[in-house]
Structure formats: structure tokens, C-alpha cells
Amino acid sequence: MGALSSRMSWNRVEEPGAPEREEEAEEVAVAAIEEGEESEEARPTTSQGRHKRKTGPGRQLTKAPCGKRAKDSLGSVYETLFLRGEGSDVQIRALGEEWNLHKVNLCQSGYFASMFSGAWRETTMTTVELQMPDENIDCEALHEALGSLYRDSVLIPRGRVVPMLATASMLQLDELIEQCREIMKDTVNVQTVCSYYYSAECYGLQDIRAMCLQWLLDNLMTRHNEELLREVSLDLMKEVIASSELFVMEVEMDVYTMLKKWMFLQLQPTWRGPHRDLLPDADSWFAGSRQESEGTAFLETEQGRAFVPVFQQLRLACIISDLPSARIIDQDALIPATWLSPVYKEQWLALLRAEQTRELGPTDVCVSDLQRTSMRCGGRLYRDEQCSWRWAGFNFGWDLAVYYANRRIIFKHSALNKSGGLAVSLLGQRKVAFRLRLASLDRAGRAILRRETEYQVLSLGKDEELEVVNLENEHVVFPIYVTCSFLYLPREGRFPE
């Protein structure tokens, strides 16, 4: 595949004799017009892609006219040369169909320009058989792509953008690729995001790939959609879960629960039922598997090994710090004990550090630690009214609460632990490294508003509070999704004295 061009014009391939062939093509078209060929409006439809064009989602792109398209405003060049094949000097065969075409037109494609020049055997052939190694290319898309070489505009319906992108990429039609890119930018949603991501990755549209990945980071946990979970591949899910940009709703345990549902749907793709039944059915299925494997952790079984790289992205230390969550992890027996034992040891030693060394917390920001090991948690603001969050789990003596009031988000270090825990640090001052992000999403899942703080260290005394985000002058659309990353103790290679 050739390099993609962002210009809105054709990349012409000049070769010896090309101007003469253009003149010949124009003479054929003019002669056909003078003989009274049918107009575009009277054009019959056939099964070979000669369909009446439907209006609907899609984008029309106008090409700069060139010599052989001088009469294209009447539709006669497309009708005469492409559909009827007048004056054809080469026949293209593919996917069980035939097209009588013209090398001068085909050479606008980088693919055909290379084929018909130099020492290739196809240079002198009058019939060319095309092999289609890409299953995304179908006959309709190939017909439209070839026809685009004979007219000034192409209308691509939203539902046809992936086959058209695949075909345009093979034929190296830069302008058609750009048109597909623009359509994909405008139509990323829960139904299209995965297919667009895989296509963008396959055909080199890095900006579309990044856009789809960001959509998944924003939406995978903010909306519950079984069809979306079915479409997310192992590699894609690994990338999403590992990312520090994932919008985690509630706590890390909810990431685990989502992965359990996703793994069940990957293994049982025919499952159908109401959303409320998905988790119980998944638990029941994994319990049956556990009995069959005589208690072997599922990720150590033959079926489960493929999912190991995904579950390795979980921040287990943030899960086992909450007793109910730790009990579920033990009961599910999806995760091997060999994964959990070092985490329990690490968390116990961290507890002793917090209790016996009177450590205040991080003194500076270590971005890699925050991105890889911080506690991820979040919540929803459904409407513009006062709200607060405290997340379950042992937080090393911190009772750090997040408040929303008067369009401000505030962190507060409470002197009394009102969240139900027993351990409250008696230290007058505590520090925590954090980052806060928020987003408001439209119905398609695209961000209307996005705000975030830098990675930073927060120092608070007892009952002290700090305004972190102010939305007073922002146009806010609810709900708003808020996600935080907290690091209470720095990772150390030795114990402090």
C-alpha cells in the first residue's frame, strides 16, 4: 500500500504516451455523445453494481476535473466508458465479475500504474485477473472504486466504508482513502468503533485508530453493552485495560468484573439474555469449569491461557485491599494463587510502612508509578447537584473524599473516617500523588467536554480541602464522568528507617 495523501486531489502517474491516451479516451466519449447515447437519467440498472444511488449517511467528495472528464457533468463519460466499456483496451476480472476498462483511467491508481508500466507481464495483457487477498473487499466495493476513476464524485454510505477503505487501499486510491477517513471520523459509535479500529490498524490510518482507542477508553466502562464486549479482541482489550487513560467507574474491582463478563462472552459468543443475567450466568459457567478442572484456576486451564495477558493488566493490589472484593477473587478462582501471594505480601508490607514509619506519602511525582500502579476509581455526576465519593478499600490511614458542589470538584482530608473503616492516620499532614480527569459524552460516546489535571502531589492537613477543578464558566452537559488516580505510598526498593 502506498503512502496516504491528505491532499484532496488525484496523484497522477505520468508515463510515456499517457497524454495521447487521455486524448483518445476523450475522443471516444465525445463520439459516443454525438451518436446520441442515453443520458445519465435514462441509465438502466443492472446487477453489476449499476444501482441507483441512495441518499443517507455518507460524505460526497468532489474531484478536480481533468481532460477526459470534461463531459462528466452529463454523466456521459461514466456511462459510456465505464458502464458500457466503449473503446476498452483491457478487461479486469475479479470476484466472478468482468469490467471492460481503459488503461489511461486505471493508471490514476498507483496499483495499476505500477502494473502497466515497466517490465511486468501485465503491461501488454488485454485481460488481467485480480486476486483479492483481503476478505473485506467485495464486488460492490471494487465496482465503485473502479468507477471512481471515471467520474468526479463518489458517495460512500456509512455502512460501506470498511469495504471501500479496503478496496481503495489495495488500489492505492489516496483520495478515496481520505474520503473514508473523513466518514469514519464523523461516525465512530458503539456499533462501528471496533470495526473502524481494526480497519484503521490494518490499512494504516493511525489517527482513526487513536480516535477509536480513545472512544473505548472513554466508553467501555461508562456504558454497558454486551455486543461491544463481544467485538473487543484480546489484543485490543489488553491495550485498553493497561492504559492509564481508561475511565474507571467505581473501583478496580469493577474492571475485574467487566473482564469476567467479557471473557465469558468470548468463550460463549451465542449467549443471549437480559443484561442483569450476564454476570450470574458467567459466574455459573466458570463455577462449572472449575469443577471440571478439579479446582485449577481458570487462567491456568487450556481455555483460559489465552486471556492471561489481559488479566495481567489488572491492578490486583487495589482489589485485595477491600475485603468483599478479595473474597470474590478467592471464590471465583479465575486468577492463579501464584499471582496473588506476592501481591498480598506487598500490601502487608505497605501497611506496616504506613503504620510504623509514619510516612507522609509521596514527595514528588513519579509518572510511571502513577500510570502503572495507582488506584483507579471514578463516579458519575448525573445532574448538577451536590455529590461526594469515597471508595471502598484500605487507603493507608487516609480518608480522602471527593466532593462536587457549585460546579467545583474538591478534595478533602477528613479527620474522622466516615466511610466505615477503622484505620485513620493520626498524622497531621498527609500527601498523595494524584491525577483527575473528567469528560462529558454525547449520545454517540464522543467527548463534548474534557478536563484533566497534571500529575501532582497533594498535601493536606486534617479537615483541609482543596479545589481541584472549577467548571463554573464551562458549558457543561450532564452526565459527567469523573475518574481519579491516587498513589498513597511511593514504591521503594528498601524499607525506610
Side-chain angles (χ1 to χ4, degrees), residues 105-235:
N105 295 74
L106 292 176
C107 282
Q108 296 172 98
S109 153
Y111 178 85
F112 287 114
S114 298
M115 178 183 291
F116 295 138
S117 62
W120 301 104
R121 64 186 181 89
E122 289 88 354
T123 302
T124 57
M125 294 174 62
T126 58
T127 300
V128 176
E129 291 271 1
L130 297 184
Q131 301 300 319
M132 296 297 163
D134 190 339
E135 62 182 12
N136 286 329
I137 300 176
D138 58 25
C139 188
E140 182 181 349
L142 183 58
H143 182 84
E144 290 296 325
L146 293 173
S148 72
L149 302 174
Y150 289 81
R151 55 183 171 179
D152 290 338
S153 62
V154 179
L155 181 65
I156 303 176
R158 181 180 63 184
R160 297 292 302 161
V161 68
V162 172
M164 286 300 295
L165 175 61
T167 309
S169 297
M170 189 197 81
L171 297 182
Q172 300 173 30
L173 298 175
D174 290 348
E175 186 175 343
L176 209 54
I177 291 171
E178 186 64 26
Q179 186 175 350
C180 292
R181 184 200 306 271
E182 293 302 317
I183 295 171
M184 295 167 86
K185 284 181 180 178
D186 292 342
T187 56
V188 174
N189 56 41
V190 68
Q191 286 84 26
T192 63
V193 62
C194 287
S195 64
Y196 284 5
Y197 176 91
Y198 303 134
S199 298
E201 190 169 50
C202 181
Y203 305 119
L205 302 186
Q206 294 304 316
D207 56 336
I208 301 299
R209 180 190 184 279
M211 178 182 292
C212 293
L213 179 60
Q214 185 62 60
W215 190 99
L216 287 167
L217 293 170
D218 291 343
N219 290 271
L220 190 62
M221 294 197 67
T222 58
R223 61 176 69 204
H224 304 287
N225 188 291
E226 288 78 32
E227 292 304 319
L228 177 61
L229 289 179
R230 282 190 179 92
E231 293 181 15
V232 178
S233 68
L234 273 72
D235 289 340

Side-chain angles (χ1 to χ4, degrees), residues 54-111:
K54 299 179 181 179
T55 58
R59 182 177 296 232
Q60 184 166 315
L61 188 66
T62 301
K63 303 173 185 175
C66 57
K68 64 181 180 302
R69 299 197 184 101
K71 308 297 183 184
D72 194 37
S73 59
L74 300 177
S76 299
V77 171
Y78 179 80
E79 170 77 20
T80 303
L81 300 185
F82 180 66
L83 295 181
R84 297 191 180 282
E86 294 286 345
S88 169
D89 58 0
V90 64
Q91 185 181 79
I92 302 297
R93 295 179 180 176
L95 301 172
E97 297 289 344
E98 300 174 352
W99 291 266
N100 296 315
L101 304 175
H102 311 80
K103 290 183 178 180
V104 63
N105 295 74
L106 292 176
C107 282
Q108 296 172 98
S109 153
Y111 178 85

Side-chain angles (χ1 to χ4, degrees), residues 260 264 277-291:
K260 181 164 56 173
F264 170 71
D277 291 345
L278 177 55
L279 183 57
D281 288 354
D283 286 335
S284 176
W285 190 88
F286 285 118
S289 175
R290 184 166 60 254
Q291 290 181 349

Side-chain angles (χ1 to χ4, degrees), residues 14 44 116 176 189 193 288 292-293 340 382 392 403 412 494:
E14 297 294 344
F116 295 138
L176 209 54
N189 56 41
V193 62
E292 292 178 5
S293 64
L340 294 170
Y382 290 101
Y403 291 88
K412 183 175 181 179
R494 63 178 180 83

